[in-house]
Amino acid sequence: MADYLIIWVDYAKDQYLALDPDTTARIDDRVRQLAADPKADAHYDPGTDRWSADFDSGDGFLLYLVNDDNRRVVILRVIHLS
């Protein structure tokens, strides 16, 4: 089956672009994994219907939505803690 389409909201894209190249490379790797299976090694919050996935050895995470019917992942936020 085809990968999920990754969509970035403007705010998340701005957060991503503000990070250093090493961090964005790790995010790129994680986003490729999410495109293949957005629920693998991720955490689901049923209260908000949102998913989160770590990158950068736990120093950051992506907050996103998953639409299985249309095979879309919408990245809402990039949180980098260091």
Side-chain angles (χ1 to χ4, degrees):
M1 192 172 275
D3 283 351
Y4 283 68
L5 175 66
I6 302 294
I7 300 167
W8 293 76
V9 299
D10 289 342
Y11 186 76
K13 191 62 159 182
D14 291 343
Q15 290 176 307
Y16 169 84
L17 292 172
L19 296 169
D20 65 85
D22 290 334
T23 302
T24 58
R26 288 188 291 278
I27 292 171
D28 293 342
D29 290 341
R30 189 62 170 121
V31 168
R32 276 191 289 281
Q33 294 169 354
L34 293 177
D37 184 356
K39 298 177 183 176
D41 298 322
H43 306 283
Y44 178 67
D45 179 356
T48 62
D49 193 29
R50 294 182 179 165
W51 291 83
S52 62
D54 293 343
F55 69 88
D56 209 9
S57 302
D59 285 338
F61 65 95
L62 301 170
L63 182 65
Y64 58 97
L65 302 169
V66 176
N67 182 308
D68 290 316
D69 294 335
N70 296 310
R71 299 191 61 78
R72 306 278 192 266
V73 171
V74 180
I75 300 178
L76 304 171
R77 297 284 184 270
V78 176
I79 293 89
H80 192 247
L81 305 174
S82 60

